[in-house]
Amino acid sequence: EECAWIVSEAEKHAAAAGGWDGHHTNFRTQNVVVAESDSLLEWLNGRLRDVIWPALAEQFDVELHELWLLDAFIVRYDPAVQAGLASHWDDSELSFNIALSDPAGFEGGGTRFSAAGVTVRPQQGEMISHYGRVFHAGAPVQSGVRYILAGFVRVETMAAAWRDLRPARIKWASPPARPTGSGQPQGGAGWWGKCTGGVGAPAGGQAPWAWAF
């Protein structure tokens, strides 16, 4: 079971590192950075190439070469520690999160989009993708433990559009310079998973926001 393996690898990494800890300054979560685990990094780079990049390119009508990964991390939501996450937007052009837990193993949870008035609760192994600067929240878990894998994606063309459209009072982050290669650590802030050929088709039959793999 792929999702169970990811959770197991994350738990092993957290135990070796002294526990789950957040690496963001704002809107911190209990998380493990994927780039800090060789096994998880290798797995995700493969999934980026074969599933995630093709899905995002189709959904948002962008070219594969415009996509690169800024950050990815596995989040652990536990009512005893951190049940959810307040409404926020991400410093990314696109964001995705993959449901790693079986919904039968927890109550509550999901991704809340306040403007739309909906809470999306995907099945295990499904991916939600959305514009990074759409406000969203991690709905609190009432019982059990919920794991997700979250990723922040830079898109060259969208980054330029955001700069043109942003309100003057808000300081938007510009996309960093593109690194060479794939999966290269970048100053501890995450890593880059640039798509390079050999891509497959996204899974069919899913709602626009959900891609199963």
Side-chain angles (χ1 to χ4, degrees):
E1 169 56 60
E2 192 169 1
C3 292
W5 174 84
I6 297 167
V7 170
S8 175
E9 288 296 300
E11 286 286 4
K12 286 193 295 185
H13 180 84
W20 291 77
D21 191 18
H23 70 295
H24 297 122
T25 302
N26 300 316
F27 297 98
R28 292 173 66 89
T29 55
Q30 298 294 302
N31 67 59
V32 164
V33 178
V34 173
E36 294 177 354
S37 165
D38 291 341
S39 58
L40 291 174
L41 175 59
E42 181 181 5
W43 171 84
L44 185 54
N45 271 332
R47 284 305 189 180
L48 286 167
R49 180 188 65 245
D50 296 338
V51 182
I52 297 173
W53 287 157
L56 294 179
E58 178 174 306
Q59 182 180 3
F60 296 98
D61 192 25
V62 297
E63 298 295 327
L64 289 169
H65 66 82
E66 296 173 359
L67 302 168
W68 72 95
L69 193 65
L70 175 64
D71 192 12
F73 48 99
I74 296 170
V75 181
R76 187 180 194 272
Y77 288 119
D78 180 345
V81 183
Q82 182 181 15
L85 188 63
S87 183
H88 63 284
W89 52 262
D90 301 330
D91 183 15
S92 64
E93 280 68 64
L94 301 177
S95 296
F96 66 84
N97 77 71
I98 301 168
L100 300 177
S101 299
D102 185 336
F106 61 89
E107 294 183 356
T111 302
R112 175 74 177 172
F113 296 93
S114 55
V118 298
T119 299
V120 181
R121 293 186 173 93
Q123 295 300 305
Q124 186 179 36
E126 288 186 340
M127 182 179 85
I128 300 172
S129 48
H130 57 89
Y131 291 107
R133 292 179 175 90
V134 170
F135 275 93
H136 58 285
V141 172
Q142 275 81 54
S143 65
V145 178
R146 174 179 177 242
Y147 296 87
I148 65 169
L149 189 156
F152 297 160
V153 179
R154 290 295 191 199
V155 186
E156 289 175 326
T157 51
M158 287 185 182
W162 282 119
R163 288 197 300 272
D164 292 340
L165 297 171
R166 70 190 188 279
R169 69 181 182 279
I170 297 177
K171 181 180 180 181
W172 298 97
S174 298
R178 182 193 296 277
T180 58
S182 176
Q184 301 298 316
Q186 297 292 313
W191 86 101
W192 305 84
K194 183 176 180 292
C195 179
T196 54
V199 298
Q206 299 296 324
W209 49 263
W211 301 86
F213 58 93

